[in-house]
Amino acid sequence: MKIILGPASEQLGQELAKLVNVETVHVASRLFPDGESYIRLEGELKNEDAVIVQTTSPPQDTRFMQLALIAGAAKRNGAKSVTAIVPYLAYARQDNIFLQGEAVSVEIIAGMLKAAGVSNLITVNVHQEKVLTKLPFPARSLSAIPLLADYFKQRGCEKAFALAPDEGATYIAEQAKKILGGECGYLEKHRDRYTGQVAMEKKTLELKGNTVIIFDDIISTGGTIVAAAKILKDLGARRVYAACVHPLLINNAEERILDAGVEEVIGTDSVPSHVSKVSLAPLLSKELAR
Ligand code: R5P
């Protein structure tokens, strides 16, 4: 096995290769003046199981194109199999026709990856697991929530309340609760499909004086966490933290979240940023060792 260091996840790929103790292949990449992607593999892959590590956070389209080009180059250079580790799988939220005339984006991008040579995909906390059944190759989604919860436990947040911002994310709060050893719950969230605006309903939760950690798969615009934090403050929570697997943090999302009373935002290196304090490497290395 060799690990190919996708340009979007070079550091994570290096850490993973160290844990799994395999050689890495570096990728030279650049953009042509007109915006087209160029890649070149700087290593041998003949008869190897190639594992590409490449997240697809913004700029998603460029990163998908790089991933497809790398997969194609790996195949052409004799790789036996090509596994794509895509910690943040962009387009996965458009897994259905919600409004007439839309595309099922995730099916399209997966078809592109398959055509390029990807034979297997590993992702992390994909928005809906059922989306994986629509992909044309075997795919698994791992959960990084226990790693995030453990990070908070090590920092003295044992027994903190684990909150999911909507009912669909209840499983996330439950996974965190197992590590933190406190209670968990969820809020009621509604999103307008046309405007993207988030509305949240207040619920009866006993949170007076508590430390609460909001766990979510993605923080994008921050709207969800801002709405949740306001409710938590109204309910008397003493300290509120936000944890997510994929810290996209579009525009001033982090600033808005902190302004809403959240003490800190913590994410993983699925999307490398200054809040990425938790590495996915241990989780991914266990998966590769299976
Ligand atoms: C949606 O259901 C997801 O789990 C996240 O809550 C959502 O993507 C976060 O987006 P934003 O930060 O823009 O509210």
Side-chain angles (χ1 to χ4, degrees), residues 266-287:
I266 298 293
T268 78
D269 51 4
S270 156
V271 181
S273 88
H274 68 282
V275 307
S276 305
K277 306 261 168 71
V278 174
S279 176
L280 296 174
L283 180 70
L284 297 171
S285 72
K286 273 192 207 142
E287 180 63 17

Side-chain angles (χ1 to χ4, degrees), residues 41-254:
L41 302 180
E42 297 184 327
E44 288 299 316
L45 284 162
K46 205 165 174 54
N47 293 325
E48 294 284 351
D49 289 311
V51 176
I52 308 166
V53 186
Q54 166 88 345
T55 204
T56 55
S57 51
Q60 299 89 331
D61 296 359
T62 300
R63 285 171 169 182
F64 260 123
M65 192 49 76
Q66 288 173 332
L67 175 58
L69 295 177
I70 294 167
K75 263 318 238 191
R76 185 173 281 274
N77 282 275
K80 261 197 309 204
S81 67
V82 178
T83 296
I85 296 187
V86 189
Y88 174 67
L89 184 64
Y91 291 104
R93 282 181 285 179
Q94 183 71 22
D95 59 349
N96 237 317
I97 303 290
F98 300 101
L99 299 174
Q100 202 197 341
E102 291 177 346
V104 181
S105 311
V106 73
E107 277 182 3
I108 312 285
I109 55 106
M112 280 169 54
L113 295 181
K114 166 125 177 138
V118 169
S119 46
N120 193 24
L121 183 135
I122 300 169
T123 185
V124 182
N125 289 96
V126 71
H127 188 58
Q128 301 261 11
E129 290 232 0
K130 69 174 182 339
V131 76
L132 301 180
T133 62
K134 297 194 174 188
L135 308 189
F137 33 61
R140 268 173 70 77
S141 175
L142 314 176
S143 179
I145 297 298
L147 289 178
L148 283 164
D150 193 56
Y151 174 87
F152 281 98
K153 187 175 170 183
Q154 301 308 327
R155 293 184 52 196
C157 290
E158 202 161 355
K159 300 257 188 289
F161 189 97
L163 184 99
D166 59 54
E167 193 172 0
T170 307
Y171 79 97
I172 286 184
E174 280 167 356
Q175 287 179 1
K177 171 188 160 167
K178 274 196 193 141
I179 305 285
L180 292 167
E183 293 302 320
C184 72
Y186 63 89
L187 295 174
E188 296 285 351
K189 170 175 128 181
H190 308 282
R191 191 187 286 275
D192 186 306
R193 286 232 168 265
Y194 291 93
T195 64
Q197 209 63 13
V198 169
M200 237 172 231
E201 278 172 36
K202 204 161 173 172
K203 286 187 50 172
T204 329
L205 292 169
E206 277 310 316
L207 295 176
K208 219 172 171 51
N210 275 14
T211 295
V212 181
I213 307 168
I214 311 167
F215 287 90
D216 208 351
D217 53 350
I218 303 168
I219 299 180
S220 179
T221 63
T224 300
I225 301 291
V226 167
K230 285 184 181 151
I231 291 182
L232 295 176
K233 285 288 173 188
D234 283 353
L235 290 171
R238 190 168 58 94
R239 312 189 84 161
V240 177
Y241 295 94
C244 73
V245 179
H246 312 295
L248 296 178
L249 299 177
I250 304 304
N251 298 330
N252 60 343
E254 187 186 9

